Amino acid sequence: MSDSREWTPQAIQAEIDALKHKPGALLPILHAIQNRFGFVPEGAVPIIAESLGQTRAEVHGVISFYHHFRTTPPGRHVVQVCRAEACQAVGARSLERHAKARLGIDYHRTTPDREITLEAVYCLGNCACGPSVRVDDRVLGRVTPEAFDALVDELGTQPLEVLG
Ligand code: FES
């Protein structure tokens, strides 16, 4: 993670203050914090709760309800495999098995070298070209296991066995 993405209470408060007067502010605030820092830090929860007049449990409840929100920093790259129906019909399940085996991690985990975080996603708007994968801001279609391996090589991660 670069220093520019390290969070501080002041930076969290600034994101909250920019949005807290809008109706239903909690979700936009969580999105803004994750967009800026890559995740929603545990330390942000009491600040959000106090600013919005909600309990910490309520804020936690929303964070854990939505798969989208991370509570730990992601790796250098985020790889998301589409699990929605159209992609499943053309092989997404076997692709996700392959992705987990290739990276040696489950969803919502990061490779030991901190290069890749693997996540599930539900439709990337690329349904006609599944199985679809998003790598950071890039959406890729018709991703075969071989193409996935090439992608991982391109991203620079090492297979788990060589990590020592
Ligand atoms: S179902 Fe996978 S991109 Fe829409």
Side-chain angles (χ1 to χ4, degrees):
M1 291 293 326
S2 72
D3 289 343
S4 65
R5 297 187 85 195
E6 282 179 13
W7 72 278
T8 62
Q10 294 76 13
I12 296 289
Q13 191 68 59
E15 296 297 334
I16 296 168
D17 290 346
L19 294 164
K20 72 179 179 188
H21 302 296
K22 301 197 169 188
L26 179 54
L27 275 177
I29 286 170
L30 294 174
H31 280 289
I33 291 171
Q34 180 154 304
N35 286 345
R36 180 161 170 188
F37 304 107
F39 71 116
V40 180
E42 178 63 33
V45 172
I47 305 172
I48 297 168
E50 185 171 330
S51 300
L52 298 185
Q54 298 189 350
T55 66
R56 294 180 189 197
E58 285 169 333
V59 177
H60 267 300
V62 171
I63 293 170
S64 56
F65 181 78
Y66 292 97
H67 296 290
H68 173 75
F69 296 120
R70 298 179 202 109
T71 53
T72 54
R76 200 154 69 90
H77 302 286
V78 176
V79 173
Q80 297 176 312
V81 179
C82 178
R83 302 193 77 202
E85 203 171 317
C87 283
Q88 289 215 350
V90 290
R93 282 194 182 152
S94 81
L95 178 64
E96 72 181 350
R97 274 195 303 276
H98 177 83
K100 290 177 183 180
R102 172 66 174 83
L103 296 172
I105 54 173
D106 204 346
Y107 284 136
H108 308 295
R109 294 284 182 269
T110 299
T111 51
D113 60 2
R114 307 286 314 159
E115 281 292 311
I116 295 178
T117 295
L118 184 64
E119 294 182 342
V121 70
Y122 296 86
C123 197
L124 292 165
N126 193 42
C127 318
C129 299
S132 300
V133 167
R134 178 161 57 202
V135 183
D136 303 325
D137 294 329
R138 262 192 306 165
V139 175
L140 309 173
R142 303 195 208 288
V143 180
T144 61
E146 294 74 25
F148 187 88
D149 287 347
L151 173 70
V152 170
D153 290 342
E154 180 195 323
L155 295 177
T157 195
Q158 299 294 312
L160 208 53
E161 313 81 77
V162 256
L163 285 172

